[in-house]
Amino acid sequence: QSVLAYAGLVASALLVMLPSLGAGFLQDDWTFLAVARHLQDPTAFYFADQSMVIYHRPHGMLSWWILVRAFGLHAPSHYVAQILLHAACAFALFLLLSRLSFHRVLAWASALVFAVHPATVSAASWLSDRFDLMATLGVLLALAVAAGPRPSRPMALVSLALASFLAAGSKETGLLAGPMVALLTLTRVDLRCRDRVCMVIAATVPALLWAISRTVLLGTEIGQVAESSLLGDFLKGSSHWLGWLPTAMALDLGRTGAAAAALVVCLAL
């Protein structure tokens, strides 16, 4: 059932994002391509300060390095990888909602909306937004593990830590994985206090260690080019995001006819 659920989400995302397969590279894509092509040692993404040239988001840059080595400058292959990553985010949302006691049909329908909604499709359609997709995937997977059965068992804690590390190393907003997991543990009456503590530690420590190492490496929380604090940028970005949320969530049929049609067809099927 899980394989079929993911396959359905992949098909839906592909249907909506099919035009992107005919697109090329755009704007920031060229910078990331150039860095990925000329850098021989990908560990430099993790241990060298490159914030004056590119973002210090090593997981995302590593994905560029791998895809360039695999597909070169063949843009359609990069977009296929982007579509699969977007569908993985939708599937992680399906897992999360299923484990939060949503009916599986309702959980899949919600994930389908996520897969075809213009607010998410627009981000997934630009290759340079891969950082956002990877951070989203990490956060959703961390929450899905925390919402699952026996989340304090060793393998679950390892999965939680890995998901948190994926989120934090993909984009700065991924640092929210730990606090969100902590909030989720408070809603679970079936957990003991020790279980909650273990889960919060597993989700928070990797991100905290990542933030410390980032600060040591770059000299500031967000890089040498920064002139403000991490907290200030977080508050400013949150305010900007909330201000644009109504516009992003509005269903403008003039621009989202394909998404609406895909949603209707898939729900009918």
Side-chain angles (χ1 to χ4, degrees), residues 56-74:
H56 187 72
R57 299 168 181 171
H59 296 343
M61 288 308 306
L62 179 62
S63 73
W64 278 96
W65 190 89
I66 293 174
L67 289 176
V68 166
R69 291 297 183 279
F71 305 117
L73 297 181
H74 187 249

Side-chain angles (χ1 to χ4, degrees), residues 187-210:
T187 67
R188 298 197 54 171
V189 297
D190 59 320
L191 295 177
R192 299 172 297 176
C193 181
R194 185 182 68 180
D195 296 334
R196 292 190 176 93
V197 171
C198 290
M199 292 169 61
V200 171
I201 291 176
T204 304
V205 169
L208 181 60
L209 293 176
W210 170 253

Side-chain angles (χ1 to χ4, degrees), residues 143 146 176-188 196 200 204:
L143 291 173
L176 290 175
M180 293 178 70
V181 167
L183 290 175
L184 179 58
T185 62
L186 296 177
T187 67
R188 298 197 54 171
R196 292 190 176 93
V200 171
T204 304

